[in-house]
Amino acid sequence: MSSSSAEQILIAGVITAAPNFNQRSWIRRHYDATKPPGVQYFFVLGNMSTCKHETKPSKMKYLLHEERMRHRASFHDVTAQDCAKTAVAQKSLAWLVDASKSGFRWIAKLDDDSLADLRRLHRDALLVEGARRACAKSSDVPHAYYGVMRWRSWTLPEHRNASAVKACADAEVGCACGGQSDAWPPGSIRTHRVRQEECPDPNFGPFPFADGSMWMISSPLATAAAGGALAPAFARDRGWLHEDVGIGYLLLREALAQRLPLMYVALMEWVHHVRWVDVRGSELSTAEKVRPLFGGAVLGVHRVGDGWQAEMARDAFDRSWADAATDDKIVCRPCAAWEARGNESSSAGPLRRLASAAYGCCHKARPGKAGDLAHAAESCAAT
């Protein structure tokens, strides 16, 4: 993995499956036309030796070979097993580990039913670095985790056989438990309650994790997580699911263990990131939730099912690109404002333990409501 740019800013891995030829075709058209210098992307495939696709294995192998010959540089193969129920989790972790050695300052993970504006991700990465300079008076790349943040909890390994989490009985590292809660607005003092009745006691959480359709992790944080004590156990374990929650758990546990100044950067769903129309039949709550696609702020679209939806998403990105140049802001607040409350008997409060070392939990401001960045710097310093 390498880039021709002297300054390697962002490397993105698109988690894909062998039969998804059409998705990779329109993703290439979009990313090849829009990615800025210093940004590279790859499609992440696993070991397909045990896959049983609807297409005959010989035909699938031939088609994939032709695609690789034509787009030789756009694939990255990981050692994780493809086609298993835990394939996405294992491939996401393997991509994090491999990309942490790439030399890029930021690592992104995307899904092949999603599109992101790589120009905006590139600029946001630089904005987060600027917030780090304002908050911590340091020019180092921060230990940052960026995406649409939600809250959930994780079972501890010794409780994997608890009756409430039978689906996780095979996961030696634990698994996600309890209900899920959105974390927006992350800068408010509002309490975020997470349903905990399905979690054995004690458990770890609630804690923030980024929606897996689009996240970024800075290289220092990825390197620390990949080289920590937990990553090898996750890589060996073929039982854990919930890759989004698992990655968030891994990052936070390593940040606590290594006393790292972890920096969360939250996007606003339906403003910066849109879960769009799923033509395969899943939900679309109201027409109102489609409008942000052309509202001038969207930089990621999930559930893109075909080429014409990809064109609509790209059109929305192009329309917002110029306007966003003056309206993109990262605002930081003390992590205490993010503290979630769940079951009082659980081990809630991991962010409280982190707060003494962190320099602020941050969010991407709503367009036109960036706030006072000088005040944000004071808030960061107060942590």
Side-chain angles (χ1 to χ4, degrees):
M1 291 183 287
S2 63
S3 169
S4 58
S5 171
E7 191 173 23
Q8 298 177 328
I9 304 296
L10 172 65
I11 186 168
V14 182
I15 307 299
T16 189
N20 296 350
F21 296 102
N22 287 333
Q23 288 95 317
R24 290 193 291 274
S25 177
W26 49 254
I27 287 172
R28 279 194 194 92
R29 287 198 299 272
H30 170 64
Y31 289 161
D32 287 347
T34 60
K35 67 181 179 69
V39 176
Q40 185 60 278
Y41 75 93
F42 293 91
F43 291 103
V44 180
L45 279 172
N47 184 333
M48 294 179 289
S49 60
T50 62
C51 292
K52 296 180 180 179
H53 299 296
E54 293 181 5
T55 306
K56 290 183 178 179
S58 59
K59 182 178 180 181
M60 179 65 68
K61 184 177 179 180
Y62 171 78
L63 292 173
L64 195 58
H65 174 74
E66 287 295 311
E67 184 182 14
R68 285 178 179 274
M69 290 299 292
R70 184 180 181 189
H71 305 284
R72 190 183 300 274
S74 67
F75 284 96
H76 177 73
D77 296 302
V78 294
T79 56
Q81 188 66 48
D82 225 320
C83 302
K85 67 177 182 179
T86 60
V88 176
Q90 291 296 326
K91 288 193 290 186
S92 298
L93 176 63
W95 168 250
L96 170 65
V97 172
D98 288 357
S100 69
K101 307 169 187 175
S102 66
F104 283 76
R105 281 159 40 189
W106 289 82
I107 296 160
K109 179 257 182 181
L110 307 165
D111 287 342
D112 67 1
D113 65 345
S114 302
L115 271 185
D117 190 340
L118 295 181
R119 299 167 297 184
R120 298 282 294 282
L121 293 184
H122 173 270
R123 185 158 62 199
D124 276 2
L126 299 180
L127 286 172
V128 173
E129 292 179 13
R132 156 73 169 175
R133 288 191 291 272
C135 292
K137 311 301 181 187
S138 171
S139 60
D140 295 339
V141 177
H143 293 79
Y145 182 26
Y146 165 108
V148 174
M149 295 293 170
R150 311 186 193 283
W151 296 88
R152 208 166 176 192
S153 296
W154 193 262
T155 67
L156 300 178
E158 57 267 30
H159 294 286
R160 66 180 185 273
N161 293 318
S163 59
V165 285
K166 288 182 179 178
C168 305
D170 295 331
E172 296 183 3
V173 295
C175 66
C177 68
Q180 179 173 289
S181 175
D182 292 344
W184 187 265
S188 76
I189 306 300
R190 186 179 67 182
T191 295
H192 307 291
R193 295 196 174 275
V194 182
R195 180 168 49 85
Q196 292 286 92
E197 62 268 24
E198 297 178 0
C199 288
D201 183 31
N203 60 74
F204 185 86
F207 58 87
F209 69 94
D211 181 275
S213 62
M214 184 188 76
W215 52 245
M216 287 198 302
I217 300 173
S218 67
S219 178
L221 179 58
T223 300
L230 281 178
F234 270 77
R236 291 191 303 268
D237 190 347
R238 292 296 185 263
W240 69 284
L241 302 168
H242 308 104
E243 70 278 2
D244 307 347
V245 191
I247 293 295
Y249 170 77
L250 174 65
L251 295 175
L252 180 52
R253 286 299 297 264
E254 288 297 346
L256 292 170
Q258 301 180 40
R259 305 182 68 84
L260 302 176
L262 176 57
M263 181 181 189
Y264 288 100
V265 184
L267 302 180
M268 187 175 184
E269 193 167 34
W270 301 116
V271 174
H272 303 120
H273 183 268
V274 177
R275 206 166 57 241
W276 203 42
V277 183
D278 190 339
V279 295
R280 295 164 294 186
S282 121
E283 81 276 6
L284 172 64
S285 299
T286 65
E288 180 182 358
K289 288 187 175 181
V290 180
R291 283 203 287 269
L293 186 61
F294 294 97
V298 64
L299 57 85
V301 182
H302 191 199
R303 295 177 182 164
V304 179
D306 53 32
W308 74 264
Q309 287 185 304
E311 290 178 7
M312 294 280 281
R314 180 176 169 183
D315 186 41
F317 296 157
D318 287 343
R319 291 187 191 191
S320 67
W321 169 240
D323 293 340
T326 57
D327 216 9
D328 276 346
K329 298 289 188 299
I330 302 297
V331 180
C332 298
R333 295 287 184 259
C335 281
W338 264 36
E339 186 59 52
R341 298 287 184 265
N343 184 341
E344 292 303 323
S345 65
S346 74
S347 57
L351 290 188
R352 189 180 300 118
R353 290 179 306 198
L354 179 72
S356 61
Y359 39 80
C361 292
C362 307
H363 66 272
K364 187 175 177 68
R366 183 193 290 270
K369 297 183 179 180
D372 183 351
L373 293 183
H375 173 69
E378 293 172 3
S379 298
C380 290
T383 62

